[in-house]
Coordinates of all heavy atoms in Angstrom, one line a residue:
M1 N 187.9 -32.3 248.2 CA 186.6 -32.1 248.8 C 186.8 -31.4 250.2 O 187.6 -31.9 251.0 CB 185.9 -33.5 249.0 CG 184.6 -33.4 249.8 SD 183.8 -35.0 249.8 CE 182.6 -34.7 248.6
S2 N 186.0 -30.4 250.4 CA 186.1 -29.6 251.7 C 185.4 -30.3 252.8 O 184.3 -30.9 252.6 CB 185.6 -28.2 251.5 OG 185.6 -27.5 252.7
V3 N 185.9 -30.3 254.0 CA 185.3 -30.9 255.2 C 184.3 -29.9 255.7 O 183.4 -30.3 256.4 CB 186.3 -31.2 256.3 CG1 185.9 -32.2 257.2 CG2 187.7 -31.5 255.7
F4 N 184.4 -28.6 255.4 CA 183.5 -27.6 256.0 C 182.4 -27.3 255.0 O 182.5 -27.3 253.8 CB 184.3 -26.3 256.2 CG 185.5 -26.4 257.1 CD1 186.8 -26.5 256.6 CD2 185.3 -26.5 258.5 CE1 187.9 -26.7 257.5 CE2 186.4 -26.7 259.3 CZ 187.7 -26.8 258.8
P5 N 181.2 -27.1 255.6 CA 180.1 -26.7 254.8 C 180.3 -25.4 254.1 O 181.0 -24.5 254.7 CB 178.9 -26.7 255.7 CG 179.5 -26.5 257.1 CD 180.9 -27.1 257.0
P6 N 179.7 -25.1 253.0 CA 179.8 -23.8 252.4 C 179.3 -22.7 253.3 O 178.4 -23.0 254.1 CB 179.0 -23.9 251.1 CG 178.1 -25.0 251.2 CD 178.8 -26.0 252.2
P7 N 179.8 -21.5 253.2 CA 179.3 -20.4 254.1 C 177.9 -20.1 253.7 O 177.5 -20.2 252.6 CB 180.3 -19.3 253.8 CG 180.9 -19.6 252.5 CD 180.9 -21.1 252.4
K8 N 177.1 -19.7 254.7 CA 175.7 -19.3 254.5 C 175.7 -17.9 253.9 O 176.5 -17.1 254.3 CB 175.0 -19.3 255.8 CG 174.8 -20.7 256.5 CD 174.1 -20.5 257.8 CE 174.0 -21.9 258.5 NZ 173.3 -21.7 259.8
P9 N 174.8 -17.6 253.0 CA 174.6 -16.3 252.5 C 174.3 -15.3 253.6 O 173.6 -15.7 254.6 CB 173.5 -16.4 251.5 CG 173.3 -17.8 251.2 CD 173.8 -18.6 252.4
L10 N 174.8 -14.1 253.5 CA 174.6 -13.1 254.6 C 173.4 -12.2 254.2 O 173.4 -11.6 253.1 CB 175.9 -12.2 254.7 CG 175.8 -11.1 255.8 CD1 175.6 -11.7 257.2 CD2 177.1 -10.3 255.7
L11 N 172.4 -12.2 255.1 CA 171.3 -11.3 255.0 C 171.2 -10.2 256.0 O 171.6 -10.5 257.2 CB 170.0 -12.1 255.1 CG 169.3 -12.8 253.9 CD1 170.3 -13.7 253.2 CD2 168.1 -13.5 254.3
L12 N 170.8 -9.0 255.6 CA 170.6 -7.9 256.5 C 169.1 -7.7 256.7 O 168.4 -7.5 255.7 CB 171.3 -6.6 256.0 CG 171.0 -5.3 256.7 CD1 171.4 -5.4 258.2 CD2 171.7 -4.2 256.1
V13 N 168.7 -7.8 257.9 CA 167.2 -7.7 258.2 C 167.1 -6.4 259.0 O 167.7 -6.2 260.0 CB 166.7 -8.9 259.1 CG1 165.3 -8.8 259.3 CG2 167.1 -10.2 258.4
V14 N 166.2 -5.5 258.4 CA 166.0 -4.2 259.0 C 164.5 -4.0 259.4 O 163.7 -4.1 258.5 CB 166.4 -3.1 258.0 CG1 166.4 -1.7 258.7 CG2 167.8 -3.4 257.4
D15 N 164.3 -3.8 260.7 CA 162.9 -3.5 261.2 C 163.0 -2.8 262.5 O 163.9 -3.2 263.3 CB 162.2 -4.8 261.3 CG 160.7 -4.7 261.3 OD1 160.2 -3.9 262.2 OD2 160.0 -5.3 260.5
D16 N 162.2 -1.9 262.8 CA 162.2 -1.2 264.1 C 161.5 -2.0 265.2 O 161.6 -1.6 266.4 CB 161.6 0.2 264.0 CG 160.2 0.2 263.5 OD1 159.9 -0.5 262.5 OD2 159.4 0.9 264.1
E17 N 160.7 -3.0 264.8 CA 160.0 -3.8 265.8 C 160.8 -5.1 266.2 O 161.1 -5.9 265.3 CB 158.7 -4.2 265.2 CG 157.7 -3.1 265.0 CD 157.2 -2.5 266.3 OE1 157.1 -3.2 267.3 OE2 156.9 -1.3 266.3
A18 N 161.1 -5.2 267.4 CA 161.9 -6.3 267.9 C 161.2 -7.7 267.6 O 161.9 -8.7 267.3 CB 162.2 -6.2 269.4
A19 N 159.9 -7.7 267.8 CA 159.2 -8.9 267.5 C 159.3 -9.4 266.1 O 159.4 -10.6 265.8 CB 157.7 -8.7 267.9
N20 N 159.3 -8.5 265.2 CA 159.5 -8.8 263.8 C 160.9 -9.4 263.5 O 161.1 -10.3 262.7 CB 159.2 -7.6 262.9 CG 157.8 -7.2 262.9 OD1 156.9 -8.0 263.3 ND2 157.5 -6.0 262.5
L21 N 161.9 -8.7 264.1 CA 163.3 -9.2 264.0 C 163.4 -10.6 264.5 O 164.0 -11.5 263.9 CB 164.3 -8.3 264.7 CG 164.4 -6.9 264.0 CD1 165.3 -6.0 264.9 CD2 164.9 -6.9 262.6
Q22 N 162.8 -10.9 265.7 CA 162.9 -12.2 266.3 C 162.2 -13.2 265.4 O 162.7 -14.3 265.2 CB 162.2 -12.2 267.7 CG 162.4 -13.5 268.4 CD 163.8 -13.9 268.7 OE1 164.7 -13.1 268.8 NE2 164.0 -15.2 268.7
L23 N 161.0 -12.9 264.9 CA 160.3 -13.8 264.0 C 161.2 -14.2 262.7 O 161.3 -15.4 262.4 CB 159.0 -13.3 263.5 CG 158.2 -14.1 262.6 CD1 157.8 -15.4 263.2 CD2 157.0 -13.3 262.1
L24 N 161.7 -13.2 262.1 CA 162.6 -13.4 260.9 C 163.8 -14.2 261.3 O 164.3 -15.1 260.5 CB 162.9 -12.1 260.2 CG 161.7 -11.4 259.5 CD1 162.0 -10.0 259.1 CD2 161.3 -12.3 258.3
R25 N 164.4 -14.0 262.5 CA 165.5 -14.7 262.9 C 165.2 -16.2 263.0 O 165.9 -17.1 262.5 CB 166.0 -14.2 264.3 CG 167.2 -15.1 264.9 CD 167.5 -14.8 266.3 NE 167.7 -13.4 266.6 CZ 168.9 -12.8 266.6 NH1 170.0 -13.6 266.4 NH2 169.0 -11.6 266.9
Q26 N 164.0 -16.5 263.6 CA 163.6 -17.9 263.8 C 163.4 -18.6 262.4 O 163.8 -19.7 262.3 CB 162.3 -18.0 264.6 CG 162.5 -17.6 266.1 CD 161.2 -17.5 266.8 OE1 160.1 -17.7 266.2 NE2 161.2 -17.3 268.1
I27 N 162.9 -17.9 261.5 CA 162.6 -18.4 260.2 C 163.8 -18.6 259.4 O 164.0 -19.7 258.7 CB 161.6 -17.5 259.4 CG1 160.2 -17.5 260.1 CG2 161.5 -18.0 257.9 CD1 159.3 -16.4 259.6
L28 N 164.8 -17.7 259.5 CA 165.9 -17.7 258.5 C 167.2 -18.2 259.1 O 168.1 -18.5 258.3 CB 166.2 -16.2 258.1 CG 165.0 -15.6 257.3 CD1 165.2 -14.1 257.1 CD2 164.8 -16.3 256.0
Q29 N 167.4 -18.3 260.4 CA 168.7 -18.6 261.0 C 169.3 -19.9 260.6 O 170.6 -20.0 260.6 CB 168.6 -18.5 262.5 CG 167.8 -19.6 263.2 CD 167.7 -19.3 264.7 OE1 168.3 -18.4 265.2 NE2 166.9 -20.1 265.4
D30 N 168.6 -20.9 260.2 CA 169.2 -22.2 259.9 C 169.8 -22.1 258.5 O 170.8 -22.9 258.2 CB 168.1 -23.3 259.9 CG 167.6 -23.6 261.3 OD1 168.3 -23.3 262.2 OD2 166.5 -24.3 261.4
D31 N 169.4 -21.2 257.6 CA 169.9 -21.2 256.2 C 170.7 -20.0 255.9 O 171.3 -20.0 254.8 CB 168.7 -21.3 255.3 CG 167.9 -22.6 255.5 OD1 168.5 -23.6 255.5 OD2 166.6 -22.5 255.6
Y32 N 170.7 -19.0 256.8 CA 171.4 -17.8 256.4 C 172.2 -17.2 257.6 O 171.8 -17.4 258.8 CB 170.5 -16.7 256.0 CG 169.7 -17.1 254.8 CD1 168.4 -17.6 254.9 CD2 170.2 -16.9 253.5 CE1 167.7 -18.0 253.8 CE2 169.4 -17.3 252.4 CZ 168.2 -17.8 252.6 OH 167.5 -18.2 251.4
A33 N 173.3 -16.6 257.3 CA 174.0 -15.8 258.4 C 173.2 -14.4 258.4 O 172.9 -13.9 257.3 CB 175.5 -15.5 258.0
L34 N 172.9 -13.9 259.6 CA 172.0 -12.8 259.7 C 172.7 -11.6 260.4 O 173.4 -11.8 261.4 CB 170.8 -13.2 260.5 CG 170.0 -14.3 259.9 CD1 168.9 -14.8 260.9 CD2 169.3 -13.9 258.6
L35 N 172.4 -10.4 259.9 CA 172.7 -9.2 260.5 C 171.4 -8.4 260.8 O 170.5 -8.6 260.0 CB 173.6 -8.3 259.6 CG 175.0 -8.7 259.3 CD1 175.6 -7.8 258.2 CD2 175.8 -8.6 260.6
F36 N 171.3 -7.7 261.9 CA 170.1 -7.0 262.2 C 170.3 -5.5 262.4 O 171.3 -5.1 263.0 CB 169.4 -7.6 263.4 CG 169.0 -9.0 263.2 CD1 169.9 -10.0 263.6 CD2 167.8 -9.3 262.7 CE1 169.6 -11.4 263.5 CE2 167.5 -10.7 262.5 CZ 168.3 -11.7 262.9
A37 N 169.4 -4.7 261.9 CA 169.4 -3.2 262.2 C 168.0 -2.8 262.6 O 167.0 -3.4 262.0 CB 169.9 -2.5 261.0
K38 N 167.9 -1.8 263.5 CA 166.6 -1.4 263.9 C 166.2 0.0 263.3 O 165.1 0.5 263.5 CB 166.5 -1.2 265.4 CG 166.6 -2.6 266.1 CD 166.5 -2.5 267.6 CE 165.0 -2.8 267.8 NZ 164.7 -2.8 269.3
D39 N 167.1 0.5 262.4 CA 166.7 1.8 261.7 C 167.5 1.9 260.4 O 168.5 1.1 260.2 CB 167.0 3.0 262.6 CG 168.4 3.1 263.1 OD1 169.3 3.2 262.2 OD2 168.7 3.1 264.3
G40 N 167.1 2.8 259.6 CA 167.7 3.0 258.3 C 169.2 3.4 258.3 O 170.0 2.9 257.5
A41 N 169.5 4.2 259.2 CA 170.9 4.7 259.3 C 171.9 3.5 259.6 O 172.9 3.4 259.0 CB 171.1 5.8 260.4
R42 N 171.5 2.7 260.6 CA 172.3 1.5 260.9 C 172.4 0.5 259.7 O 173.4 -0.1 259.5 CB 171.8 0.9 262.2 CG 172.6 -0.3 262.6 CD 174.0 0.1 263.1 NE 174.8 -1.0 263.6 CZ 176.0 -1.3 263.4 NH1 176.8 -0.4 262.7 NH2 176.6 -2.3 263.8
A43 N 171.2 0.4 259.1 CA 171.2 -0.5 257.9 C 172.2 0.0 256.8 O 172.9 -0.9 256.2 CB 169.8 -0.5 257.3
L44 N 172.3 1.3 256.6 CA 173.2 1.8 255.6 C 174.7 1.5 256.0 O 175.5 1.0 255.2 CB 173.1 3.3 255.4 CG 171.7 3.7 254.8 CD1 171.6 5.3 254.9 CD2 171.5 3.2 253.4
E45 N 175.0 1.7 257.3 CA 176.3 1.4 257.8 C 176.7 -0.1 257.6 O 177.7 -0.5 257.1 CB 176.4 1.7 259.3 CG 176.4 3.1 259.7 CD 176.3 3.3 261.2 OE1 176.7 2.4 261.9 OE2 175.9 4.4 261.6
L46 N 175.8 -1.0 258.0 CA 176.0 -2.4 257.9 C 176.1 -2.9 256.5 O 177.0 -3.7 256.2 CB 174.9 -3.2 258.7 CG 175.0 -3.2 260.2 CD1 173.8 -3.9 260.8 CD2 176.3 -3.9 260.7
A47 N 175.3 -2.3 255.6 CA 175.4 -2.7 254.2 C 176.7 -2.4 253.6 O 177.3 -3.1 252.9 CB 174.2 -2.1 253.4
Q48 N 177.2 -1.2 254.0 CA 178.5 -0.8 253.4 C 179.7 -1.6 254.0 O 180.6 -1.9 253.3 CB 178.7 0.7 253.7 CG 177.8 1.6 252.9 CD 178.0 3.1 253.1 OE1 178.7 3.5 254.1 NE2 177.3 3.9 252.4
Q49 N 179.6 -1.9 255.3 CA 180.6 -2.6 256.0 C 180.7 -4.1 255.7 O 181.7 -4.7 255.5 CB 180.5 -2.5 257.5 CG 180.7 -1.1 258.0 CD 180.3 -0.9 259.5 OE1 179.9 -1.8 260.1 NE2 180.5 0.3 260.0
E50 N 179.5 -4.7 255.6 CA 179.4 -6.2 255.5 C 179.1 -6.7 254.1 O 179.3 -7.9 253.8 CB 178.4 -6.7 256.5 CG 178.7 -6.3 257.9 CD 180.0 -6.8 258.5 OE1 180.4 -7.9 258.0 OE2 180.6 -6.2 259.4
G51 N 178.5 -5.9 253.2 CA 178.1 -6.3 251.9 C 177.2 -7.6 251.9 O 177.6 -8.6 251.3
P52 N 176.0 -7.5 252.5 CA 175.1 -8.7 252.5 C 174.7 -9.1 251.1 O 174.7 -8.2 250.2 CB 174.0 -8.2 253.3 CG 173.9 -6.7 253.2 CD 175.4 -6.3 253.0
A53 N 174.3 -10.3 251.0 CA 173.8 -10.8 249.7 C 172.4 -10.3 249.4 O 172.0 -10.2 248.2 CB 173.8 -12.3 249.7
L54 N 171.6 -9.9 250.5 CA 170.2 -9.5 250.3 C 169.9 -8.7 251.6 O 170.4 -8.9 252.6 CB 169.3 -10.7 250.3 CG 167.8 -10.5 250.2 CD1 167.4 -9.9 248.9 CD2 167.1 -11.8 250.5
I55 N 169.0 -7.7 251.4 CA 168.5 -6.9 252.5 C 167.0 -7.0 252.5 O 166.3 -6.8 251.5 CB 168.9 -5.4 252.3 CG1 170.4 -5.2 252.3 CG2 168.2 -4.6 253.4 CD1 170.9 -3.8 251.9
L56 N 166.5 -7.4 253.7 CA 165.0 -7.4 254.0 C 164.8 -6.2 254.7 O 165.3 -6.0 255.8 CB 164.6 -8.7 254.8 CG 164.9 -10.0 254.1 CD1 164.5 -11.2 255.1 CD2 164.2 -10.2 252.8
L57 N 164.0 -5.3 254.2 CA 163.9 -3.9 254.7 C 162.4 -3.5 254.9 O 161.6 -3.6 254.1 CB 164.4 -3.0 253.6 CG 164.5 -1.5 253.9 CD1 165.3 -1.2 255.1 CD2 165.1 -0.7 252.7
D58 N 162.1 -3.2 256.2 CA 160.8 -2.7 256.6 C 160.5 -1.4 255.9 O 161.5 -0.5 255.7 CB 160.8 -2.5 258.1 CG 159.4 -2.1 258.7 OD1 158.4 -2.4 258.0 OD2 159.4 -1.6 259.8
V59 N 159.3 -1.1 255.6 CA 158.9 0.1 254.9 C 158.7 1.2 255.9 O 159.2 2.3 255.8 CB 157.7 -0.1 254.0 CG1 157.2 1.3 253.4 CG2 158.0 -1.0 252.9
M60 N 157.9 1.0 256.9 CA 157.5 2.0 257.9 C 158.4 1.9 259.1 O 158.3 1.0 259.9 CB 156.1 1.8 258.3 CG 155.1 1.8 257.2 SD 155.0 3.4 256.4 CE 154.4 4.4 257.7
M61 N 159.4 2.9 259.2 CA 160.2 3.0 260.3 C 160.3 4.5 260.7 O 160.2 5.4 259.8 CB 161.6 2.5 260.0 CG 161.7 1.0 259.7 SD 163.4 0.4 259.4 CE 163.8 1.2 257.9
P62 N 160.5 4.8 262.0 CA 160.7 6.2 262.4 C 162.0 6.7 261.9 O 163.0 6.0 261.6 CB 160.7 6.1 263.9 CG 161.0 4.7 264.3 CD 160.6 3.9 263.1
G63 N 162.1 8.0 261.6 CA 163.3 8.6 261.1 C 163.4 8.4 259.6 O 162.6 9.0 258.8
M64 N 164.3 7.5 259.2 CA 164.4 7.2 257.8 C 163.5 6.0 257.4 O 163.7 4.9 257.9 CB 165.9 6.8 257.5 CG 166.2 6.6 256.0 SD 167.9 6.0 255.8 CE 168.9 7.2 256.7
S65 N 162.6 6.2 256.5 CA 161.7 5.2 256.0 C 162.5 4.1 255.2 O 163.6 4.4 254.8 CB 160.6 5.7 255.2 OG 161.1 6.1 253.9
G66 N 161.9 3.0 255.0 CA 162.5 2.0 254.2 C 162.7 2.4 252.8 O 163.7 2.1 252.1
H67 N 161.8 3.2 252.2 CA 161.9 3.8 250.9 C 163.1 4.7 250.8 O 163.9 4.6 249.9 CB 160.7 4.5 250.4 CG 159.5 3.6 250.2 ND1 158.3 3.7 250.9 CD2 159.4 2.5 249.4 CE1 157.5 2.8 250.5 NE2 158.1 2.0 249.6
D68 N 163.3 5.5 251.8 CA 164.4 6.5 251.8 C 165.8 5.7 252.0 O 166.7 6.0 251.3 CB 164.3 7.5 253.0 CG 163.2 8.5 252.8 OD1 162.8 8.7 251.6 OD2 162.7 9.0 253.8
A69 N 165.8 4.7 252.8 CA 167.0 3.9 253.0 C 167.3 3.2 251.7 O 168.5 3.1 251.3 CB 166.8 2.9 254.1
C70 N 166.3 2.6 251.0 CA 166.6 2.0 249.7 C 167.1 2.9 248.7 O 168.1 2.6 248.0 CB 165.3 1.3 249.2 SG 165.5 0.3 247.7
R71 N 166.6 4.1 248.6 CA 167.1 5.1 247.7 C 168.6 5.4 247.9 O 169.4 5.5 247.0 CB 166.3 6.4 247.8 CG 165.0 6.4 247.0 CD 164.5 7.8 246.8 NE 163.4 8.3 247.5 CZ 162.3 7.7 248.0 NH1 162.2 6.4 247.9 NH2 161.3 8.4 248.6
R72 N 168.9 5.5 249.2 CA 170.3 5.8 249.6 C 171.2 4.6 249.3 O 172.4 4.8 248.8 CB 170.4 6.2 251.0 CG 169.8 7.6 251.2 CD 169.9 8.2 252.5 NE 171.2 8.3 253.0 CZ 171.5 8.8 254.2 NH1 170.6 9.1 255.1 NH2 172.8 8.8 254.6
L73 N 170.7 3.4 249.5 CA 171.5 2.2 249.2 C 171.8 2.2 247.7 O 172.9 1.8 247.2 CB 170.7 0.9 249.6 CG 170.7 0.6 251.1 CD1 169.6 -0.4 251.4 CD2 172.1 0.1 251.6
K74 N 170.8 2.4 246.9 CA 170.9 2.3 245.4 C 171.7 3.5 244.8 O 172.3 3.4 243.7 CB 169.5 2.3 244.7 CG 168.7 1.1 245.1 CD 169.5 -0.2 244.9 CE 168.8 -1.5 245.3 NZ 169.6 -2.7 245.1
A75 N 171.9 4.6 245.6 CA 172.7 5.7 245.1 C 174.2 5.6 245.4 O 175.0 6.3 244.9 CB 172.2 7.0 245.7
E76 N 174.5 4.6 246.3 CA 175.9 4.4 246.7 C 176.5 3.2 245.9 O 176.0 2.1 245.9 CB 175.8 4.0 248.2 CG 177.2 4.0 248.8 CD 177.9 5.3 248.9 OE1 177.2 6.3 249.1 OE2 179.1 5.3 248.7
P77 N 177.6 3.5 245.2 CA 178.2 2.4 244.3 C 178.5 1.1 245.1 O 178.3 0.0 244.6 CB 179.5 3.0 243.8 CG 179.2 4.5 243.8 CD 178.3 4.7 245.0
L78 N 178.9 1.2 246.4 CA 179.2 0.1 247.2 C 178.0 -0.8 247.5 O 178.2 -2.0 247.6 CB 179.9 0.6 248.5 CG 180.8 -0.4 249.2 CD1 181.9 -0.9 248.4 CD2 181.3 0.3 250.5
T79 N 176.8 -0.2 247.5 CA 175.7 -1.0 247.9 C 174.6 -1.1 246.8 O 173.6 -1.7 247.0 CB 175.0 -0.4 249.2 OG1 174.7 1.0 249.0 CG2 176.0 -0.6 250.4
A80 N 174.8 -0.4 245.7 CA 173.8 -0.3 244.7 C 173.3 -1.7 244.1 O 172.1 -1.8 243.8 CB 174.2 0.6 243.5
A81 N 174.2 -2.7 244.1 CA 173.8 -3.9 243.5 C 173.2 -4.9 244.4 O 172.8 -6.0 244.0 CB 175.1 -4.6 242.8
I82 N 173.1 -4.6 245.7 CA 172.5 -5.5 246.7 C 171.0 -5.5 246.5 O 170.4 -4.5 246.6 CB 172.9 -5.0 248.2 CG1 174.4 -5.0 248.4 CG2 172.2 -6.0 249.2 CD1 174.8 -4.4 249.7
P83 N 170.4 -6.7 246.3 CA 169.0 -6.8 246.2 C 168.3 -6.4 247.5 O 168.8 -6.7 248.6 CB 168.7 -8.2 245.8 CG 170.0 -8.8 245.5 CD 171.1 -8.0 246.1
V84 N 167.1 -5.7 247.4 CA 166.3 -5.3 248.5 C 164.9 -5.9 248.4 O 164.3 -5.7 247.3 CB 166.3 -3.8 248.7 CG1 165.4 -3.4 249.8 CG2 167.7 -3.2 248.9
I85 N 164.4 -6.5 249.4 CA 163.0 -6.9 249.4 C 162.4 -6.2 250.6 O 162.9 -6.2 251.7 CB 162.9 -8.4 249.7 CG1 163.5 -9.2 248.5 CG2 161.4 -8.8 249.9 CD1 163.5 -10.7 248.7
F86 N 161.3 -5.5 250.3 CA 160.6 -4.7 251.3 C 159.7 -5.7 252.1 O 159.0 -6.5 251.5 CB 159.7 -3.6 250.7 CG 160.5 -2.4 250.2 CD1 160.6 -2.1 248.9 CD2 161.1 -1.6 251.1 CE1 161.3 -1.0 248.5 CE2 161.8 -0.5 250.7 CZ 161.9 -0.2 249.4
V87 N 159.7 -5.6 253.4 CA 158.9 -6.4 254.3 C 158.0 -5.4 255.1 O 158.5 -4.5 255.7 CB 159.8 -7.2 255.3 CG1 159.0 -8.0 256.3 CG2 160.8 -8.0 254.5
T88 N 156.7 -5.6 255.0 CA 155.8 -4.7 255.7 C 154.5 -5.5 256.1 O 154.2 -6.4 255.5 CB 155.5 -3.5 254.8 OG1 154.7 -2.6 255.6 CG2 154.7 -3.9 253.6
A89 N 153.9 -5.0 257.2 CA 152.6 -5.6 257.6 C 151.5 -4.9 256.7 O 150.5 -5.4 256.6 CB 152.4 -5.3 259.1

């Protein structure tokens, strides 16, 4: 029997609005290990480097939209299997 609790699943939260990131942090931090990105390019980097269990991805972002980021994630063998949930207002 292990003395340590099992590791929390790693989630990548992507949103260009700091208030949305803060809200999701408050909701999720007790049950998940969290990574944050404010744009699609950084989300792609973190997904490849860290291999999160799930990505919560904003749809409307400047530069690379959430749809574009998702297409790129699914086209990359390293990140194609990571589930993505779109988060939008």
Side-chain angles (χ1 to χ4, degrees):
M1 175 176 258
S2 175
V3 204
F4 301 103
K8 295 177 181 179
L10 180 63
L11 269 57
L12 172 56
V13 182
V14 186
D15 199 306
D16 60 312
E17 294 291 332
N20 293 342
L21 292 176
Q22 184 60 31
L23 176 63
L24 288 168
R25 176 193 306 266
Q26 290 174 357
I27 293 168
L28 300 169
Q29 68 186 351
D30 290 342
D31 298 310
Y32 300 95
L34 301 170
L35 291 170
F36 297 94
K38 294 186 96 177
D39 59 59
R42 182 67 177 141
L44 295 174
E45 290 175 19
L46 286 172
Q48 290 178 354
Q49 292 169 0
E50 304 294 333
L54 175 69
I55 299 172
L56 299 178
L57 182 59
D58 184 23
V59 173
M60 301 297 295
M61 295 184 292
M64 184 186 310
S65 74
H67 291 124
D68 292 335
C70 186
R71 280 197 253 329
R72 292 186 55 187
L73 286 163
K74 297 307 176 182
E76 188 67 38
L78 200 57
T79 56
I82 300 172
V84 175
I85 296 175
F86 286 112
V87 178
T88 187

